[in-house]
Amino acid sequence: YLKQKKFEAAAAILEDYLKEKPEAVQIMFILGEHYYKNMNDVDKATSAYKKVITLSDQLPIEDYYKEQAYFSLATIAYRKGDIEQAVAMYKNVLEINKENLDALYALALTSMDIYDLAAAEGYSFQFLEKRPGDKVIMSVLGRIYYLRDDIRAVTYLGGAKSSGSMSGVLALGLYYELIRKDDAAEKLLTSVLKYAPRTITAHLAMARIDTRKGDMSAAFNEYVTTGV
């Protein structure tokens, strides 16, 4: 049925199997993945993943399915905009497997999304220990140090700057602001704000550029936006 893309029929088969063997954690996990990835039914997927977690706590079974169920639940929460719930779920993943790099990566980004700078910094360093030089994570650290007026921002933003991704463009814009290339910085930061208008570091950088240009009214507006 899967090969024929008959997804409803495939789900029915898995559901029938679980009626006979409700304790089959692996099949419950496969059903959750099927709901989520093939049928785009996040409600049914969420229910299945939660059952996987409950069954894993009750049965002598490897933690793999529980770990992956938490990760999928975190991803669902993130896509729904519930960042704090996503962070909690990603932390559950790490409690099961502290070597899960995907969870570390996600925690660095989601912690930055809610501006928990201390947590984002810690997860970023843990990730870079395993995968040094990752540009997205270096961009996170650069933004943290930029907000703190920490000179290390130059190093991390310099290592992350590129024009190939939003995080890279932001890093390059902030880097240019720090070295006073204001025209180039303003162009890049404006492009970032067009697609991500709530980016605090970009507004802060624009305020500093406006201040140097002597446009105090524009600088004031950017500082207010940053603060809000």
Side-chain angles (χ1 to χ4, degrees), residues 61-79:
I61 188 170
E62 61 183 306
D63 285 333
Y64 170 82
Y65 299 108
K66 183 179 180 181
E67 176 186 346
Q68 294 303 314
Y70 270 128
F71 192 92
S72 293
L73 287 171
T75 304
I76 290 170
Y78 183 82
R79 290 178 178 174

Side-chain angles (χ1 to χ4, degrees), residues 203-227:
H203 285 293
L204 180 59
M206 291 293 283
R208 291 170 174 171
I209 291 169
D210 289 334
T211 299
R212 286 197 291 270
K213 289 166 59 178
D215 190 343
M216 303 313 291
S217 177
F220 176 80
N221 289 336
E222 291 292 0
Y223 279 125
V224 169
T225 301
T226 303

Side-chain angles (χ1 to χ4, degrees), residues 77-130:
Y78 183 82
R79 290 178 178 174
K80 286 183 174 181
D82 191 345
I83 307 300
E84 292 185 0
Q85 177 71 3
V87 168
M89 291 295 181
Y90 285 130
K91 286 181 179 179
N92 286 335
V93 174
L94 281 189
E95 286 180 6
I96 297 169
N97 178 12
K98 64 181 180 180
E99 300 298 320
N100 191 311
L101 288 184
D102 290 332
L104 276 174
Y105 183 87
L107 276 167
L109 296 183
T110 50
S111 296
M112 190 65 200
D113 282 343
I114 58 176
Y115 289 90
D116 184 349
L117 301 188
E121 182 182 22
Y123 292 126
S124 294
F125 278 125
Q126 288 181 58
F127 184 86
L128 289 177
E129 284 180 7
K130 305 292 184 180

Side-chain angles (χ1 to χ4, degrees), residues 7-58:
F7 297 142
E8 293 286 351
I13 292 292
L14 293 170
E15 289 162 358
D16 286 344
Y17 185 98
L18 287 165
K19 289 176 184 177
E20 298 297 322
K21 291 189 175 181
E23 76 284 357
V25 177
Q26 181 183 12
I27 303 303
M28 184 64 74
F29 178 75
I30 291 171
L31 180 60
E33 293 283 275
H34 178 57
Y35 284 144
Y36 184 34
K37 296 178 180 178
N38 295 327
M39 299 179 70
N40 198 29
D41 191 328
V42 294
D43 291 333
K44 285 187 176 180
T46 296
S47 178
Y49 289 135
K50 287 181 177 179
K51 288 177 183 176
V52 168
I53 293 167
T54 299
L55 287 169
S56 296
D57 288 336
Q58 296 172 349

